[in-house]
Amino acid sequence: MRHLTIGALLGLLAAMAQAQPVALPRATAPLALTDFGKPETLDNWRGLKPSAATLDGQPGMQFTFPKYEQGQNEWPAVYLSYADGKGYPVRDWSHYGKIVLQVRSSSDKPSDLALELRDSENRNGWAQHFTLAPGKTNRLEVVLHDIRQQVQLSNVSEIVLFTTRPAAAYTITMADLRLEPGDKAPLATLDLAYPNYRGLIFPAADRVTLEVQISPGEYAVRPEQLTAELTCRGGGKSVSVKRALRGRRATMALPTAGLPQGQVELTAIVAGAGQPPLSRQWTLRKIDAGAVRKLKVYIDENNNTIVDGKPFFPLGWYGNGQVSQMREIADSPFNCLLDYGTTKKPIEEMRAYLDEMQKLGLKLIFCANDIYPSATYYKDKTLHGATGNEAITEAVIKAYRDHPALLAWYLNDELPKTMAPEFTEYYQRFRNLDPNHPAYIVLCNMVELRYFTGTTDVMGVDPYPIPTLPVTRVADWMEAANDATQNHMPTWLVPQAFAWYQHHPPGSDRARIPTPAELLTGRAPTYEESRCMTYLALAHGAKGLVYWCYYNMRMLPQYKQMWEDHKRIGAEVKELSPVLLSPDDRGTARFAPATAPVHTKLKRHEGREYLIAVNAGTEPCVVTFNLGRALPTTVKAMLEDREVPAAGNTLEAQFKPLEVHVYDLGRAAK
């Protein structure tokens, strides 16, 4: 080994320091990002022409968004860039907690303002949209923790303030643009991994499981100086476990077989190293097999949906409540519907609709996303003999909660994080009034998912990438949901089955023949893209698929072909459902070259091992899988009616662009 001189060693350390930015300690004081009190500050802004102004006595600036005209700038904006040390004081924001600013709009109606951060000048970054209340100063806030995966916060290069196609001109006055410190992270976070559904401890998994994560940075504490203790009490008895921590993450399980049925109080405490003890409590319920049998639909310990005591893979469509379209879907491999407008139907008509669904073998995810507390759809109106959203909600739940065709309640369709507290209460009302059916929500802002985990039993995401984004957006959004929920609740994905041109411009004829330009920027997915998106979702752990949407797809000129294509895809998923529902998940498969754009999932079911493999790339590729065990000389390529040779531990696979292969790898050793 060659010895380094002191000078060479110092040079190497300096190079390493440049290559790997050192994380700065958490900021403890605010930092103004621009000084509106200095006239020359305005020279650093480009785009729309700003001028000096005051807001509530503070120096600021103002600029005007012009009314959008066809062919003009669709995203009028002002830009503040970091160039040659100008623009704002620092570009490393990673140790701050939030960016805030004060804003007032001249409009007498609610207006839009988006704040975008970029880590490379003149390139798209991450944006958050705000609705500005008229006649008042609005305090806007962006939590930097939420966007750390979208923007390199150690290298913020540009701030953009913009809007999209303003219907009328309005002037924005802003002041006090600054960074604020983040809150000190707690010494430990305690996350209940199981029970994962409504606090129910099932007899098949008679335990509680807690995940502990330590953040010792600001506490001068080593994990091994801390202990974690779990205690469950119920029926006059208690069980507990205590152990020293060995790293920054730990999973602790506590058997509850010694406790009687009924309410259980779980207490978790992390203590030691002279720090104040950190504790958290949960109220749980231990149930027996008889109570489980009474549950019509629930989520089990493996995040699978259980219907009438049997595993069920939700495979359905968003619909519009038309009986004829419901019957078309019933004559297919799909098993459920989420119909909009179900609250509007008279109760007897809706129950007859549910009766027909039950007869045809379909389940309904009941859409209740129009009667949450602040919804205005039925303001000052009477529905189902009830007045006011609270009374209407109760009437809806009681009218349908006992129907055998009901699968779940749909509570939230893409609403923002500011409404999370409201939806926490809304969700609790459904839990209290109907213990027999889970709640489901769908969100489109991945950085906000974590705010809603206490508002639902099932998380949903709806990436619609075609044609302008790669299909891997499906995988990215699935992983964002898995991260937000810590894999402690199921994610149902909403695959794209419509054309974006049907919604641009708003209110357009969705059944029209598209122009060449519309096809370029807003066409519907092809069969290959649809199948690839479906299997990307499955490879990343989707526990259900609800396509959006049948009535839009039905308006497309190519509807008949698309419907046949989706029935083929649906038939495949239905055939694979027993494998997908298997609790024996073996993670991902190794392959070479590792840079190939292939996504995988290994599952075991009834002693056999299965490999789902998806080429998410737009080019052909060849990969060699290493399964880590001896394979049969040939394995079956399911869904393709062919055999594939294997050699020892390896299996070579050739993929066309966006192609999917599912292999039956034969019986695996236990």
Side-chain angles (χ1 to χ4, degrees):
M1 177 178 178
R2 186 169 61 90
H3 294 280
L4 294 175
T5 65
I6 295 296
L9 178 60
L10 292 175
L12 177 61
L13 292 174
M16 291 173 63
Q18 289 181 352
Q20 298 180 348
V22 177
L24 297 174
R26 181 179 63 91
T28 57
L31 176 68
L33 285 173
T34 187
D35 187 352
F36 290 117
K38 296 180 179 179
E40 62 269 22
T41 293
L42 298 184
D43 296 335
N44 293 328
W45 293 82
R46 58 187 177 86
L48 299 173
K49 182 66 176 175
S51 59
T54 59
L55 179 62
D56 299 337
Q58 297 184 82
M61 78 174 196
Q62 65 181 22
F63 53 90
T64 299
F65 289 132
K67 177 182 177 181
Y68 173 70
E69 302 289 348
Q70 186 68 33
Q72 300 300 311
N73 184 3
E74 295 187 62
W75 301 283
V78 292
Y79 305 80
L80 179 61
S81 298
Y82 187 94
D84 300 325
K86 298 179 180 179
Y88 39 87
V90 297
R91 63 193 307 169
D92 186 349
W93 298 5
S94 59
H95 54 305
Y96 285 89
K98 63 185 70 171
I99 178 172
V100 299
L101 68 157
Q102 310 294 325
V103 174
R104 191 180 185 99
S105 169
S106 66
S107 176
D108 59 358
K109 300 177 181 178
S111 52
D112 172 73
L113 180 67
L115 188 153
E116 180 175 340
L117 300 181
R118 299 175 175 177
D119 54 25
S120 180
E121 190 175 348
N122 296 319
R123 294 181 61 185
N124 288 336
W126 172 92
Q128 180 168 330
H129 288 260
F130 301 91
T131 298
L132 305 181
K136 61 178 289 187
T137 298
N138 297 259
R139 184 182 190 272
L140 308 187
E141 179 179 301
V142 176
V143 179
L144 296 178
H145 175 277
D146 291 346
I147 65 172
R148 67 193 188 283
Q149 294 180 337
Q150 282 72 34
V151 176
Q152 186 182 353
L153 290 173
S154 61
N155 185 37
V156 177
S157 296
E158 196 165 38
I159 307 169
V160 186
L161 296 167
F162 71 96
T163 191
T164 304
R165 294 183 176 182
Y170 55 94
T171 297
I172 295 293
T173 304
M174 58 177 286
D176 197 20
L177 175 64
R178 68 184 186 276
L179 293 169
E180 287 191 350
D183 296 330
K184 186 177 181 179
L187 176 61
T189 56
L190 307 170
D191 187 41
L192 184 65
Y194 178 80
N196 58 319
Y197 178 68
R198 298 191 173 184
L200 298 179
I201 303 173
F202 293 108
D206 200 351
R207 66 178 189 279
V208 296
T209 305
L210 195 80
E211 292 183 355
V212 183
Q213 184 170 341
I214 306 299
S215 301
E218 294 189 65
Y219 297 89
V221 169
R222 298 188 308 276
E224 58 268 25
Q225 295 176 283
L226 303 172
T227 60
E229 182 176 10
L230 307 184
T231 302
C232 276
R233 296 180 176 87
K237 296 184 177 182
S238 69
V239 292
S240 64
V241 62
K242 183 177 182 179
R243 78 178 207 206
L245 299 175
R246 293 288 180 262
R248 295 196 176 196
R249 298 184 71 94
T251 300
M252 297 180 65
L254 174 61
T256 52
L259 300 179
Q261 310 301 313
Q263 183 170 303
V264 172
E265 298 294 333
L266 168 64
T267 302
I269 299 175
V270 173
Q275 297 293 326
L278 187 148
S279 66
R280 189 173 174 187
Q281 292 183 311
W282 295 263
T283 298
L284 313 174
R285 186 159 64 94
K286 183 176 175 180
I287 60 176
D288 59 17
V292 174
R293 285 193 294 271
K294 292 179 181 178
L295 293 174
K296 297 176 182 178
V297 184
Y298 65 92
I299 306 300
D300 74 1
E301 64 272 18
N302 302 304
N303 287 332
N304 288 331
T305 304
I306 307 298
V307 177
D308 296 329
K310 298 178 181 178
F312 180 91
F313 189 91
L315 179 63
W317 287 84
Y318 281 74
N320 59 5
Q322 290 189 24
V323 175
S324 60
Q325 293 190 20
M326 178 263 285
R327 288 173 176 159
E328 291 169 0
I329 293 171
D331 186 25
S332 78
F334 297 94
N335 59 26
C336 62
L337 265 173
L338 196 166
D339 282 324
Y340 289 122
T342 41
T343 56
K344 297 178 182 178
K345 290 187 177 184
I347 288 176
E348 290 309 312
E349 179 184 337
M350 189 62 215
R351 290 191 69 85
Y353 183 81
L354 283 163
D355 290 343
E356 181 72 2
M357 292 188 74
Q358 179 70 9
K359 184 174 72 173
L360 296 173
L362 287 178
K363 298 292 183 183
L364 180 72
I365 303 168
F366 194 102
C367 184
N369 75 327
D370 51 1
I371 52 174
Y372 55 88
S374 64
T376 57
Y377 303 94
Y378 301 110
K379 186 178 182 181
D380 303 323
K381 296 180 181 178
T382 297
L383 184 68
H384 304 323
T387 302
N389 285 7
E390 184 172 339
I392 290 172
T393 297
E394 183 172 348
V396 166
I397 296 172
K398 289 182 176 179
Y400 306 116
R401 64 186 176 186
D402 295 324
H403 200 285
L406 182 63
L407 178 65
W409 299 100
Y410 187 49
L411 304 188
N412 179 345
D413 193 333
E414 300 184 340
L415 292 172
K417 73 176 184 180
T418 53
M419 300 181 71
E422 178 178 340
F423 275 94
T424 301
E425 297 173 6
Y426 191 52
Y427 163 65
Q428 288 297 329
R429 294 199 68 209
F430 277 82
R431 279 184 58 158
N432 294 338
L433 288 169
D434 181 12
N436 283 310
H437 298 93
Y440 169 53
I441 68 173
V442 170
L443 301 175
C444 62
N445 189 336
M446 296 303 97
V447 301
E448 296 188 353
L449 296 182
R450 67 189 181 100
Y451 295 96
F452 285 94
T453 55
T455 73
T456 189
D457 302 305
V458 179
M459 184 65 74
V461 292
D462 55 358
Y464 302 142
I466 306 301
T468 58
L469 296 171
V471 293
T472 48
R473 193 185 207 200
V474 171
D476 294 340
W477 284 29
M478 277 297 308
E479 289 304 313
N482 295 338
D483 289 345
T485 64
Q486 299 291 300
N487 290 300
H488 301 157
M489 69 170 59
T491 298
W492 297 356
L493 189 104
V494 184
Q496 179 183 351
F498 70 99
W500 273 112
Y501 78 77
Q502 294 179 295
H503 296 270
H504 293 159
S508 58
D509 175 14
R510 300 186 193 185
R512 72 188 186 280
I513 303 297
T515 66
E518 287 177 328
L519 282 177
L520 184 65
T521 60
R523 65 171 174 80
T526 64
Y527 165 71
E528 290 77 14
E529 289 166 337
S530 295
R531 188 168 185 255
C532 183
M533 288 190 291
T534 295
Y535 281 90
L536 278 174
L538 298 177
H540 287 267
K543 293 292 187 174
L545 300 167
V546 188
Y547 292 78
W548 203 90
C549 60
Y550 186 72
Y551 56 87
N552 256 20
M553 185 180 70
R554 206 173 184 279
M555 297 179 191
L556 293 170
Q558 69 272 36
Y559 156 68
K560 289 185 178 180
Q561 183 58 56
M562 279 191 72
W563 183 224
E564 291 302 316
D565 290 343
H566 278 83
K567 285 194 288 186
R568 288 169 60 194
I569 296 170
E572 293 178 0
V573 177
K574 181 178 180 180
E575 180 182 342
L576 290 172
S577 289
V579 174
L580 300 173
L581 291 165
S582 170
D584 197 348
D585 191 322
R586 295 298 170 122
T588 58
R590 290 185 298 156
F591 56 83
T595 54
V598 174
H599 298 241
T600 64
K601 170 69 73 177
L602 280 168
K603 299 279 286 189
R604 286 189 184 179
H605 175 60
E606 295 182 344
R608 303 184 73 83
E609 194 166 33
Y610 299 86
L611 169 63
I612 297 172
V614 188
N615 176 19
T618 56
E619 299 292 334
C621 69
V622 179
V623 302
T624 301
F625 294 106
N626 186 334
L627 282 308
R629 66 173 181 86
L631 298 172
T633 55
T634 61
V635 301
K636 182 180 180 181
M638 300 176 65
L639 317 174
E640 301 178 58
D641 193 27
R642 66 185 178 97
E643 299 285 330
V644 180
N649 295 348
T650 64
L651 174 69
E652 184 180 276
Q654 299 183 13
F655 291 90
K656 298 175 184 176
L658 305 177
E659 192 172 27
V660 174
H661 297 310
V662 181
Y663 299 104
D664 179 347
L665 302 176
R667 301 199 68 81
K670 294 183 179 180

